[in-house]
Amino acid sequence: MPELPEVEVTRRSFAQAITGATVVSLRMGQALRWPLGCAPQELVGRRVHDVQRRGKYLLLALQPGWLLLHLGMSGSLRFASALPAPGPHDHMDLVTSAGTLRLNDPRRFGAVVYADRLDAGMALKLLGGLGMEPLSDDFDLSRFAQGLKARRSAIKTVLLAGDVVVGVGNIYACEALFQAGIRPTTRASRLGPVRVQRLHAAIRAVLARAVARGGSTLRDFSSADGQAGHFQREAAVYGRAGQACPRCAKPIQLLRQGQRSTYFCATCQRP
DNA sequence: CAGTGGGCCTGAGTGC
DNA sequence: TGCACTCAGGCCCACT
């Protein structure tokens, strides 16, 4: 489940290698979440001059234009000079002068979208509503507090929604709330300044550490150079229902919020 | 208007 | 062994 750390680790694993390369061809396989938005051959000859990230989107800066990539839930990228023939779940091969960027995504929740510019059309629709970047200076404590104050739903739901802060998926929402000592069901608007500050710091800390560990490999995530992540070994609560809380040794609880599993410690995380 | 829940997908896991 | 069923979850969108 690629969340922000996995997407960032993926970005770092091929950004340097592809920067400066020229698109040789683009092959699209089965339909993904949205259509590409242009004819694949239109991209031939364009130079890739940067690989950026916004939330869980990877943004390939072309000259001219942008290629937006989203890994959905089961997507992963590979970048190599030689790849085997594409399999049934390989939905994109971006062949460049430096190597081929391949998207593999069994569940096809991912997306590859071309946009002339980021501030119009489909790109604006996808990126326009995104919240603050948690690992950048953009993640301002007072704006975070303001954003939470305006929301009456459960804090975990607000984190997942991504319009206050981006990139915090189910795993890292559970972990950050544990680290901050906040019950996932607590209404966001009821968090006081001290707990908001703790949560702000916890989100940064959890995500930064996950990036440093190469992300979480729950099923089969790996970065574009094939490296698996290791953060899942350090998870305090996620996926550990019934096991001892690392802080107080009481059993970790599991509940459903929306359609999602929430893991928490009823002792360490206060409503 | 904010909030909630459905649907998209397929592979792994479970129970009979 | 094999089949039917459930679950995993990011994100858009229809609905309340």
Side-chain angles (χ1 to χ4, degrees), chain A residues 56-216:
Chain A
K56 297 172 190 171
Y57 288 89
L58 284 172
L59 312 174
L60 267 64
L62 306 177
Q63 282 177 335
W66 297 84
L67 200 58
L68 281 61
L69 304 179
H70 197 289
L71 301 180
M73 287 193 42
S74 58
S76 61
L77 290 172
R78 187 106 330 165
F79 185 76
S81 51
L83 287 168
H89 301 315
D90 294 326
H91 306 301
M92 180 201 79
D93 273 350
L94 182 72
V95 182
T96 77
S97 53
T100 298
L101 185 66
R102 171 172 290 178
L103 172 69
N104 179 278
D105 183 9
R107 283 176 233 176
R108 291 198 275 137
F109 280 25
V112 179
V113 174
Y114 172 77
D116 287 320
R117 45 194 296 168
L118 296 183
D119 58 357
M122 189 65 181
L124 179 63
K125 195 180 88 170
L126 297 178
L127 305 176
L130 296 183
M132 293 177 277
E133 280 294 332
L135 294 182
S136 82
D137 296 340
D138 175 51
F139 191 30
D140 181 74
L141 177 58
S142 63
R143 282 209 293 151
F144 184 55
Q146 271 174 27
L148 298 189
K149 192 52 87 185
R151 301 297 213 90
R152 313 185 63 223
S153 44
I155 179 61
K156 189 196 172 211
T157 307
V158 174
L159 293 180
L160 291 181
D163 49 356
V164 176
V165 57
V166 291
V168 186
N170 205 33
I171 301 170
Y172 299 113
C174 290
E175 294 300 313
L177 287 167
F178 173 77
Q179 190 165 313
I182 297 168
R183 190 81 55 94
T185 47
T186 304
R187 285 174 190 266
S189 57
R190 301 194 52 166
L191 292 172
V194 174
R195 310 177 87 201
V196 168
Q197 185 174 4
R198 252 191 257 147
L199 182 56
H200 179 268
I203 289 169
R204 291 189 87 118
V206 165
L207 293 178
R209 192 156 94 202
V211 170
R213 298 290 183 274
S216 296

